[in-house]
Amino acid sequence: MEDKADDAEFVMVPELDKLLEQDPFLKPYKKDFQRRYTLFVELLKKIEGCEGGLEKFSRSYQSFGIHTQPDGGIYCKEWAPGAEAVFLTGDFNDWNPFSHPYKKLDFGKWELYIPPREDKLPVILHGSKIKVAIKTKSGEVIYRISPWAKYVLQEEKKVVYDWVHWQPAESYTRKYERPKKSNSIRIYESHVGIASPEGKIASYKNFTYNVLPKIKDLGYNCIQLMAVMEHAYYASFGYQITSFFAASSRYGTPDELKELVDVAHSMGIQVLLDVVHSHASRNSEDGLNQFDGTNACFFHDGPRGNHDLWDSRLFDYSNWEVLRFLLSNLRWWIEEYGFDGFRFDGVTSMLYHHHGIGCGFTGDYNEYFGLQVDEESLLYLMIANHMTHSLYPDCITIAEDVSGMPALCCPVTQGGGGFDYRLAMAVPDKWIQILKEYKDEEWNIGDIVHTLTNRRYNEKCIAYAESHDQALVGDKTLAFWLMDAEMYSNMSVLSPLTPVIDRGIQLHKMIRLITHALGGEGYLNFMGNEFGHPEWLDFPRKGNNESYHYARRQFHLSEDQILRYRFLYAFDRDMNRLEGKFGWLSSPPAYVSAKHQGDKLIAFERANLLFIFNFHPSKSFTGYRIAVNIPGKYPF
């Protein structure tokens, strides 16, 4: 009777029983799921009642910021609750800070309408520079870039970005339909700026015409684009966002990014955006921080608003206008640029008040419930996933979560977080640990199999042997761990095949194939690693004299017929094409029939294929007996 009385306080979770049936160990936390789902339903109802629904609420980019009207007038709207007064200034009024004041509205909002000129042209022309001038409560006048700015530009030798009004007479028009979502997702993790062998920042155009054909040839059906949301510091790898609605101008124009996504679609490739809603840059002159002169606004005030390790600001997800801003941001990238989904960065930091700092997750379910969970952040993720999947059924969302929170990748209707996939972050860590700490004969075969198969039932994982994290300076790629300095001297087919290169090439292939086939329901590779890129990644910074030498990808190495890199490229291509033919990523988890420590052998079946891996450093086997589920002939 007591349980029923408690349950009556909550909204019924439609498919909670299904979740609890799949994992009975979650039953003690039933009320947590009920409470989370109840908060979700209540928020949806509030948005419906106050804003006319989630569809309209998430299109707020159509009214906030600056918009040229059909009659040539310009409508401006901002949210600055801590401001005493708000003005618009720029090239159009010779930078007069007070000639164009905004009108104060309810709930901290401000609006301004600027009539057209006598010739019916807008007062603010495409390409002109503008700023919001804010008079704070203390009387100080500060200059800011609108949080909704669509284009910002950093002039040479300037530190701070300028807000540039982007309203071209003609914009790029999409020519191709979005591809349908694949059940076997093979992701090519990419960074536009380093996608060239040249020592410079590469362009959207370069990626469209030089890199997309390679991705198509390799058999990847999805691209994850990093560092697109504008970030003032190039070396942050795109993780210190300053302008959330602006595509990075260092690679080209918004139209050139639209073309990139559209051409990818013409090849049947979906494009995901690496979206950073977990935190924001501390920059104030060209970022969100202290936009209205207060320490709060978009962020929590006090210690809760700061991430100590990342030196960045943390969003207040309970704030109505923050929800408007972030949900509209997702819609903007889908609607304006044609992105097909998102890889959410820093999800672990969002899920917990401790942000995962100094916390080694053991898998104890008590770690995922209780006061340490930031349910405001979790609620935002639930509603973000609900919005993207209900409005765009083919949309893909991926969580970068190291904690392993149960149900994060289960539907919201089960009380879950609603993500399609989570990154299998333990897998690359395991491969690096093995190569760093163990000799070949010491490899623990059972441990490898456990790491590759240890994932929650019915929660999909993206497996990868290495991502951009393992390519960064201070670490080594798998190829570098395997072959090191010999990659510079012994990769030519004109020189004898050394034991180091022979071992390195074969293990590079084996590690990728077993990760691809056994490790998850999706696969990811960071650009260049498919052919064993020989060097780490290091962006220009003071510590390396602003050098671009390591901020590039040497694609020409895989095209040189004299070099052995082409063999790794060909293997990666054939591996993806084989998966495309048989679809093991969309098949149920593999059945492991053998994991022999002494023989260093692993055998498993998946998608009606039999995989056998011999990791023994010195023994080959003939006449080796392997049990199979289906009798018959198995051709090699």
Side-chain angles (χ1 to χ4, degrees), residues 64-66 77-78 130-132 144-150 152 163 242-243 287-288 291 325:
F64 281 79
I66 289 187
K77 191 174 184 180
E78 298 293 346
I130 42 180
K131 286 261 179 141
V132 176
R144 296 289 186 257
I145 291 175
S146 170
W148 305 81
K150 300 184 183 73
V152 295
W163 175 18
T242 45
S243 291
L288 286 186
F291 172 68
F325 180 78

Side-chain angles (χ1 to χ4, degrees), residues 265-281:
H265 286 170
S266 76
M267 298 176 176
I269 299 172
Q270 288 190 291
V271 187
L272 308 183
L273 178 69
D274 200 345
V275 71
V276 186
H277 282 183
S278 50
H279 64 127
S281 168

